[in-house]
Amino acid sequence: MKPFHPGLAVVTGAGSGIGRGTAKALARHGATVIVADINYATAEDTVAQIHSLGGRAEPYALDVADVTALEDFTGYVRATHGVPDVVVNNAGIVVGGPFLDIRAADLHRAVDVNLMATVHGCRLFGAQMVERGRGGHLVNLSSFAGFAPIRLGLPESVTKAAITRFSRSLRAELAPHGIGVTVVCPGIIATNLPATAVLASLSAEQVAIARQLVTKAMTLFGMNPDKAGRKIVDAVRGNRAMLPLRAESLLVYAFARAFPRATRTLMRVTTGPEVERLVRFVIDHPRFLGIAREAAELMPQRRGLQTYWDPPEYDDPVPPPIPLRR
């Protein structure tokens, strides 16, 4: 691997999960990290952890879906710190459920946060890197959901597939400028992603129970986000085009490419309408909620991870130069 000494790094969605792990890993390599998150309090937590490790970091409250706010953010970074050497477009949300039941506003939010924020982040920071003339690296977070058709997860599948294709095309376009582009397909990581998930056709109580169950399961079976962050930084050092973080991502990617028809059939069987009707019958049964609620409380979780299943309250807007646009 080539020597890796980033002077300045930007990570979005860095208040928790993979974003926090990547920010800490970049700080260990000597980078000053701009920690951006829609929740300023969690961004401050990440900065405090980096400071405790002897690193340098600054928090910034940012809603990546707001293009004007994103433009202000990129301008602020350049004016205050300079052009970043590494930019990690990590912020994302999950919107799921039967496609015809998903609200238009939630579809727009999924596209804006998962896809367009990545596109604009690469456009704005990529232009700065090209103008500077010293290269750089862009990292975009995708998912193995982008490799195969997934019922009840169409917004995730479509936006992540688009990020993968966008990243590969951008890598070819920016290569003459010495700018690398890596697309990361994480797999199961112990993150807080379920806490902000929007699930159509479920009641508020069903969503709350599902969030707690999934979050705890991810702590038990998922990769530690700090380890994920270290792997992402290694991929940047090696200028890798794609990084499947876990075996399931690599398997889904390989299987979908080698056996596309079998992949469609498998997804149809495992997530077909028959399975959906059975699950719907179970979760709508009056006794199920009590059992599920008790199971969620009793289910163990791996300690030492910053996880939650109730989304944190957003902070009041903080004064410039760290604006929070809603």
Side-chain angles (χ1 to χ4, degrees), residues 252-322:
V252 172
Y253 172 67
F255 192 82
R257 283 178 60 88
F259 308 103
R261 185 173 181 178
T263 301
R264 292 192 296 270
T265 301
L266 179 63
M267 297 309 297
R268 166 65 177 79
V269 171
T270 56
T271 65
E274 300 83 5
V275 176
E276 182 182 348
R277 282 194 292 269
L278 175 60
V279 172
R280 187 86 252 181
F281 173 79
V282 173
I283 66 175
D284 286 341
H285 196 281
R287 292 184 179 179
F288 174 80
L289 276 181
I291 297 173
R293 191 183 306 109
E294 185 175 354
E297 292 296 332
L298 295 176
M299 184 176 181
Q301 61 177 318
R302 184 168 40 165
R303 301 297 178 183
L305 295 174
Q306 179 252 349
T307 54
Y308 48 78
W309 39 87
D310 291 322
E313 294 294 328
Y314 293 143
D315 305 280
D316 292 330
V318 293
I322 312 175

Side-chain angles (χ1 to χ4, degrees), residues 224-243:
N224 189 306
D226 286 352
K227 181 178 180 180
R230 292 192 295 270
K231 285 179 173 289
I232 289 172
V233 170
D234 286 343
V236 173
R237 292 179 63 194
N239 193 23
R240 292 186 57 176
M242 176 179 285
L243 172 65

Side-chain angles (χ1 to χ4, degrees), residues 190-258:
T191 72
N192 294 318
L193 198 57
T196 55
V198 177
L199 305 175
S201 79
L202 295 183
S203 69
E205 188 170 14
Q206 288 172 333
V207 170
I209 293 171
R211 284 174 172 170
Q212 186 172 2
L213 285 170
V214 174
T215 302
K216 285 187 173 182
M218 289 172 71
T219 69
L220 292 175
F221 304 108
M223 178 185 290
N224 189 306
D226 286 352
K227 181 178 180 180
R230 292 192 295 270
K231 285 179 173 289
I232 289 172
V233 170
D234 286 343
V236 173
R237 292 179 63 194
N239 193 23
R240 292 186 57 176
M242 176 179 285
L243 172 65
L245 272 177
R246 281 175 54 101
E248 61 268 19
S249 289
L250 184 59
L251 288 174
V252 172
Y253 172 67
F255 192 82
R257 283 178 60 88

Side-chain angles (χ1 to χ4, degrees), residues 20 49 103 141 144 154 162 167-168 204 263 289 302 304 315:
R20 173 175 288 186
Q49 290 191 24
R103 300 181 307 167
L141 269 289
F144 65 75
L154 191 146
S167 300
R168 288 181 163 184
T263 301
L289 276 181
R302 184 168 40 165
D315 305 280

Side-chain angles (χ1 to χ4, degrees), residues 20-246:
R20 173 175 288 186
T22 306
K24 291 164 67 176
L26 286 164
R28 288 191 183 95
H29 281 273
T32 297
V33 185
I34 309 301
V35 176
D37 199 278
I38 194 171
N39 187 286
Y40 188 63
T42 58
E44 285 188 309
D45 289 342
T46 299
V47 169
Q49 290 191 24
I50 291 174
H51 287 171
S52 71
L53 298 171
R56 300 181 301 274
E58 176 185 315
Y60 194 105
L62 174 69
D63 180 354
V64 295
D66 185 336
V67 179
T68 302
L70 196 55
E71 291 173 345
D72 291 345
F73 172 60
T74 58
Y76 167 77
V77 171
R78 180 168 190 167
T80 308
H81 300 280
V83 177
D85 300 293
V86 179
V87 174
V88 183
N89 295 295
N90 167 74
I93 60 172
V94 171
V95 174
F99 174 66
L100 299 181
D101 293 335
I102 298 175
R103 300 181 307 167
D106 292 331
L107 285 173
H108 278 291
R109 183 71 179 170
V111 172
D112 288 343
V113 174
N114 291 350
L115 176 57
M116 295 312 300
T118 297
V119 171
H120 290 305
C122 289
R123 175 179 65 86
L124 296 166
F125 280 120
Q128 292 183 9
M129 292 176 179
V130 170
E131 183 181 351
R132 180 181 61 178
R134 295 208 318 265
H137 207 98
L138 302 169
V139 180
N140 300 327
L141 269 289
S142 181
S143 167
F144 65 75
F147 299 145
I150 298 178
R151 290 185 74 254
L152 309 180
L154 191 146
E156 177 81 359
S157 183
V158 169
T159 55
K160 297 305 185 181
I163 286 175
T164 301
R165 179 61 64 184
F166 166 74
S167 300
R168 288 181 163 184
S169 300
L170 187 64
R171 180 180 174 88
E173 185 164 337
L174 296 183
H177 300 284
I179 300 172
V181 180
T182 298
V183 59
V184 179
C185 304
I188 302 174
I189 313 294
T191 72
N192 294 318
L193 198 57
T196 55
V198 177
L199 305 175
S201 79
L202 295 183
S203 69
E205 188 170 14
Q206 288 172 333
V207 170
I209 293 171
R211 284 174 172 170
Q212 186 172 2
L213 285 170
V214 174
T215 302
K216 285 187 173 182
M218 289 172 71
T219 69
L220 292 175
F221 304 108
M223 178 185 290
N224 189 306
D226 286 352
K227 181 178 180 180
R230 292 192 295 270
K231 285 179 173 289
I232 289 172
V233 170
D234 286 343
V236 173
R237 292 179 63 194
N239 193 23
R240 292 186 57 176
M242 176 179 285
L243 172 65
L245 272 177
R246 281 175 54 101

